[in-house]
Amino acid sequence: MRHIEEVGEEAGYFQPLGARHHAFFRDEGATLVVSFETQEEIRIRRPDGLPLGDAVARAEGWSSLCLIADGPTWYRDPAVYRYFDRLVDDAFFEDFDRVVFHGAGMGGYAACAYSLTAPGAVVVAVSPRATLDPARAGWDGRDRAARRLDFRDRYGYAPDMVEGTGEVFVLHDPAEPLDAMHAALFGAGNVRHLRCRNAGEPLQALLERTGMTAALLRDAGRGTLDLGAAARIWRGRRAAVDYLVHHLALNARHPERARRVLLTAGRQVEARQLRQQLLALRARVQAEARSA
């Protein structure tokens, strides 16, 4: 956090918002990426110790604004509400030609909820929650401690908050029932759903590790993101070895499907891990065929 503070003071600003949030702003170009991340994510997964949204923006010569949370706060803090109120009062977002909001999971919820402050912004939300209010999402037993937070106050119910924005891209894995149920609550006419089936790991992790998150944000910032572009980016998973290994395992009991996956995988990557998995899968399929 000291490193982020030093960069922020030089490039824009870094300021605390209450006890558990900070705002980091880098002032560069006329496109702005607004991301919602946590201290833990930045510390563990960011080699340069800076937010992912800032890395994408910096590579493109864009500005970035990151709301950094200390733990599972869900950004439900009056200090955060007041911060976005000030941005609206100061016409902050009007200084930019294009604004992109991004987050995943908890950050996906916040990206949708606070996008209300920037009419016309594009939102890229990965596995976003609609709310943790037990009255509306009591069927979701995750994050029970966060249910004590107030999701009925301002910027509360995310599906209502995105109705005044531009296009909202909601990415989720339909094989994860709870994530799919939350995604289904985002039903406004400007919402575009991309169903990323059988990611094999948390969708956010796969997208970030394979560079697909950065590609989505670049297209959003350039004004070229649509469902077709998002689908093409998602197809890039086929070049990720561990995704292919997972997909092979899913089809191990279906020899014909497994054979098609093997052919596709062989064209996409050349890696020792994949070759070993292919040999093991072939042996398993042959053994099952003999015993049938």
Side-chain angles (χ1 to χ4, degrees):
M1 294 300 289
R2 284 196 297 272
H3 171 55
I4 296 174
E5 181 177 7
E6 291 171 359
V7 173
E9 288 179 348
E10 180 177 343
Y13 65 73
F14 178 82
Q15 67 183 69
L17 307 176
R20 301 185 64 185
H21 299 92
H22 288 83
F24 166 75
F25 174 59
R26 184 192 296 273
D27 189 4
E28 293 286 347
T31 296
L32 173 69
V33 176
V34 183
S35 62
F36 295 80
E37 306 182 40
T38 68
Q39 290 186 22
E40 182 179 19
E41 289 171 341
I42 296 170
R43 183 172 62 250
I44 295 175
R45 300 212 293 259
R46 312 289 181 249
D48 60 358
L50 294 171
L52 173 63
D54 180 70
V56 174
R58 193 167 67 252
E60 296 293 318
W62 298 339
S63 298
S64 67
L65 172 64
C66 183
L67 277 292
I68 304 171
D70 180 10
T73 67
W74 292 85
Y75 303 90
R76 304 303 299 157
D77 187 328
V80 179
Y81 311 160
R82 290 192 295 270
Y83 174 72
F84 277 96
D85 289 344
R86 289 197 300 273
L87 295 183
V88 173
D89 292 342
D90 294 342
F92 172 78
F93 294 112
E94 295 179 16
D95 290 338
F96 299 95
D97 295 338
R98 186 171 286 113
V99 179
V100 179
F101 277 68
H102 169 259
M106 181 178 85
Y109 160 78
C112 293
Y114 291 105
S115 67
L116 173 71
T117 60
V122 175
V123 182
V124 179
V126 179
S127 305
R129 309 283 182 87
T131 178
L132 268 64
D133 180 2
R136 286 182 129 162
W139 35 264
D140 190 344
R142 301 172 293 182
D143 304 293
R144 289 184 177 275
R147 292 185 179 187
R148 295 193 295 267
L149 299 171
D150 186 355
F151 284 83
R152 300 183 185 183
D153 201 351
R154 304 176 61 237
Y155 305 108
Y157 186 58
D160 286 349
M161 300 298 103
V162 299
E163 292 183 358
T165 66
E167 288 191 299
V168 180
F169 295 88
V170 173
L171 291 81
H172 72 280
D173 185 347
E176 299 294 332
L178 295 177
D179 286 348
M181 292 166 71
H182 278 282
L185 296 175
F186 290 85
N190 59 334
V191 175
R192 312 286 179 256
H193 289 273
L194 182 66
R195 294 165 179 82
C196 305
R197 185 173 294 279
N198 294 324
E201 60 181 303
L203 180 57
Q204 171 189 7
L206 175 64
L207 294 175
E208 290 185 11
R209 185 171 43 73
T210 56
M212 287 187 278
T213 296
L216 289 164
L217 295 182
R218 282 196 299 268
D219 275 11
R222 295 169 182 172
T224 59
L225 185 63
D226 56 21
L227 272 181
R232 287 192 293 274
I233 291 169
W234 171 239
R235 284 198 291 273
R237 72 197 183 280
R238 298 173 182 173
V241 171
D242 44 5
Y243 173 83
L244 290 169
V245 168
H246 166 72
H247 202 50
L248 289 169
L250 287 178
N251 290 282
R253 294 185 180 277
H254 305 279
E256 181 55 28
R257 265 190 271 167
R259 186 187 67 80
R260 291 198 299 268
V261 174
L262 295 179
L263 291 174
T264 300
R267 290 194 296 267
Q268 294 290 335
V269 299
E270 180 67 24
R272 181 179 304 171
Q273 179 187 359
L274 182 58
R275 290 197 298 272
Q276 292 172 343
Q277 188 71 18
L278 300 186
L279 291 173
L281 179 60
R282 285 193 180 111
R284 179 176 171 181
V285 170
Q286 291 169 357
E288 289 180 355
R290 286 194 298 270
S291 62

